Amino acid sequence: MPLRGFVVALLAVLVLGGCGVRFAYSQLDWLVPWYLRDYVTFNAGQREVLDQRLTLRLDWHCRAHLPGYVGLLRDARRLLARERIEAQDLAPFLDQGEAWLDELRVELINDAKVLLAGLSDDQVAELAAAFERRDKEAREEFLGGSTEVRRKAQIARMEKRLRNWFGRLTDEQRALVAGWSRGLQPTTERWLDERRQWQQGVLDALQVRREPRLFAERIAALQAPAAGVPAEYREQAAYNRQLTLALLAGVFNTATARQRERLLAEVDGLAGQFDKLACAAPRMAEAR
């Protein structure tokens, strides 16, 4: 199982689902295995192990993180009630989200070790083929076509995300998105290379999965920041992060009264759903 894939699946269903958050969270016992089957076909015994681990992890997540989501969203609500905001006002929210992701990644280390250790040779080959297929698809999506084609696709993705919160964008806001896209430093190819190296690290670890101590060490090493990441790449990523925060602040500061009303309603609704989910944690634990 690709550990980052597990993390992405979990967070994507929780955070990106928007209006269907509560329903999606309650359905993760089948949504996450469905996602993982894009990489590996599990047998009945492995599926049972995955179900057990997922139940425990969801219970932990409900208790440890969901109440924090509610608090963070309510803090965001207070910030967004202002007339204007600055990019630095948004940075703490992104920092906290990244910290939660890191915590979740650590919690999943033991789950990954158990699930990966039980893969057969055929399943390892299936995983390697899935990595290769997904890498090819990602490179075609993000690096294919001319520079102008890729830029237009990037703009379209960002506009879609913003519409989920603000509704239809104004011409001024669309111009801000276009300017953001032009200003971004080129990091996509390096990001894909890093992802491919990480995937190769998973496959290398699987070669020693019958040796528990060595296997555990290699899996744990995959959680640490890559020591070989060039300083230039880190600087470019930091620049792009700040540029994106500036875009979000700019879109908010140019928002119409109707857009602000919608944004606050979305934040309130999401906080309410997470609040209900956090309260469901004991019942999820009893269901094991």
Side-chain angles (χ1 to χ4, degrees):
M1 179 191 71
L3 183 57
R4 288 186 182 179
F6 189 100
V7 173
V8 170
L10 189 60
L11 293 183
V13 172
L14 286 174
V15 179
L16 302 182
C19 62
V21 155
R22 189 176 187 188
F23 172 78
Y25 194 83
S26 68
Q27 299 298 313
L28 274 176
D29 59 334
W30 65 266
L31 282 174
V32 173
W34 172 82
Y35 178 89
L36 295 174
R37 279 199 295 269
D38 283 353
Y39 290 91
V40 176
T41 304
F42 292 115
N43 60 39
Q46 292 167 331
R47 174 59 187 268
E48 183 177 358
V49 171
L50 176 59
D51 288 345
Q52 292 170 351
R53 290 278 170 171
L54 181 58
T55 298
L56 292 171
R57 197 56 55 226
L58 288 173
D59 181 50
W60 168 83
H61 190 258
C62 277
R63 297 172 186 273
H65 282 178
L66 289 189
Y69 287 6
V70 176
L72 194 71
L73 284 166
R74 287 176 177 161
D75 288 344
R77 212 280 186 197
R78 285 189 286 271
L79 173 68
L80 298 174
R82 298 180 187 175
E83 183 64 26
R84 289 185 60 84
I85 62 174
E86 303 298 333
Q88 60 264 29
D89 296 326
L90 298 173
F93 296 94
L94 181 55
D95 292 341
Q96 180 60 74
E98 291 171 344
W100 279 328
L101 179 59
D102 288 341
E103 289 178 11
L104 180 57
R105 189 177 292 119
V106 169
E107 288 294 325
L108 291 172
I109 289 175
N110 288 332
D111 298 337
K113 286 189 295 187
V114 171
L115 291 164
L116 287 169
L119 296 184
S120 68
D121 290 344
D122 287 344
Q123 287 174 317
V124 172
E126 182 183 7
L127 178 61
F131 279 162
E132 183 176 355
R133 182 180 70 253
R134 288 299 184 90
D135 181 69
K136 181 179 179 181
E137 292 171 352
R139 289 176 185 276
E140 289 176 351
E141 178 179 0
F142 295 108
L143 297 177
S146 66
T147 301
E148 183 62 20
V149 167
R150 294 197 300 270
R151 190 179 70 82
K152 288 181 178 179
Q154 185 180 66
I155 290 172
R157 288 192 296 269
M158 177 56 76
E159 288 184 350
K160 181 178 179 180
R161 295 186 188 106
L162 292 171
R163 284 196 302 270
N164 289 335
W165 296 98
F166 291 93
R168 184 176 179 179
L169 302 181
T170 66
D171 290 343
E172 182 179 10
Q173 290 165 336
R174 295 186 66 194
L176 288 174
V177 175
W180 161 83
S181 179
R182 288 192 299 270
L184 288 173
Q185 296 289 319
T187 59
T188 302
E189 187 168 4
R190 180 68 194 186
W191 163 65
L192 290 170
D193 288 345
E194 288 293 327
R195 190 180 74 157
R196 184 160 56 186
Q197 290 174 22
W198 187 89
Q199 291 171 344
Q200 186 58 52
V202 173
L203 297 176
D204 291 343
L206 285 169
Q207 298 308 308
V208 296
R209 66 190 183 281
R210 310 306 182 202
E211 303 176 47
R213 182 187 60 79
L214 184 57
F215 179 62
E217 290 176 355
R218 293 195 180 183
I219 290 296
L222 292 171
Q223 303 311 301
V229 176
E232 181 185 10
Y233 175 67
R234 291 196 299 269
E235 292 170 0
Q236 289 175 327
Y239 176 85
N240 289 346
R241 184 183 193 269
Q242 184 61 29
L243 195 67
T244 301
L245 292 176
L247 168 66
L248 297 178
V251 171
F252 175 82
N253 291 335
T254 58
T256 65
R258 185 172 182 177
Q259 286 177 323
R260 290 182 182 229
E261 182 179 350
R262 171 172 174 150
L263 174 63
L264 293 177
E266 292 288 341
V267 172
D268 287 340
L270 198 56
Q273 291 182 66
F274 278 133
D275 196 17
K276 292 177 183 179
L277 286 170
C279 295
R283 292 195 294 274
M284 295 179 75
E286 293 168 2
R288 289 200 298 272

